[in-house]
Amino acid sequence: NLINTRMPVLYSMCEDAHFSEQSQMLQISEAIHLIVQISRMPDFSRKITHITAIEGMDTTYNRIKLVDIFRYSPEKGYYATGNKPKEIIRRLKSRGITLDESIFENN
């Protein structure tokens, strides 16, 4: 996982920066709100396979809490996972952007 594994490694490569693992995770969770993952399919095409929200820190495991909102599978196509990205919805509403929240329902 890029966010919980590789990003801390990148932080450690900077000799002048001395951040604790917890402060690294906090910085990442506050700076990034949405992750769009693209994967190569067996036919060599590329598809968006996950749209994931960052929902803050999971203090129990000292990791960033990632919640998939939408996924793609060759069998089902694109589908909602049923998870509503509360913080993203709140931010959109605060900017006067209306959103039909039923798009997040898993049908």
Side-chain angles (χ1 to χ4, degrees):
N1 175 321
L2 169 72
I3 295 296
N4 285 307
T5 306
R6 293 184 183 180
M7 289 298 288
V9 170
L10 291 174
Y11 265 93
S12 69
M13 295 175 132
C14 182
E15 295 174 17
D16 298 332
H18 302 287
F19 297 102
S20 70
E21 187 173 328
Q22 187 168 9
S23 70
Q24 293 172 26
M25 296 292 130
L26 184 60
Q27 287 178 9
I28 293 167
S29 70
E30 289 178 351
I32 301 172
H33 305 288
L34 198 65
I35 298 170
V36 177
Q37 181 176 332
I38 300 171
S39 296
R40 189 177 299 274
M41 299 289 110
D43 68 355
F44 301 106
S45 66
R46 293 179 191 260
K47 296 211 183 302
I48 294 173
T49 56
H50 296 75
I51 298 178
T52 305
I54 293 183
E55 298 267 320
M57 291 284 297
D58 181 345
T59 54
T60 304
Y61 300 104
N62 198 31
R63 298 176 67 87
I64 295 173
K65 186 177 177 185
L66 303 171
V67 179
D68 285 338
I69 304 168
F70 300 102
R71 290 186 187 155
Y72 171 83
S73 74
E75 300 81 27
K76 293 173 73 173
Y78 291 100
Y79 63 96
T81 63
N83 296 315
K84 285 188 179 182
K86 297 173 200 80
E87 181 61 21
I88 292 171
I89 292 169
R90 185 196 66 75
R91 289 171 152 263
L92 290 171
K93 285 182 178 179
S94 74
R95 290 170 173 80
I97 299 170
T98 57
L99 178 68
D100 178 5
E101 294 183 33
S102 69
I103 66 169
F104 301 111
E105 294 173 7
N106 186 353
N107 294 326

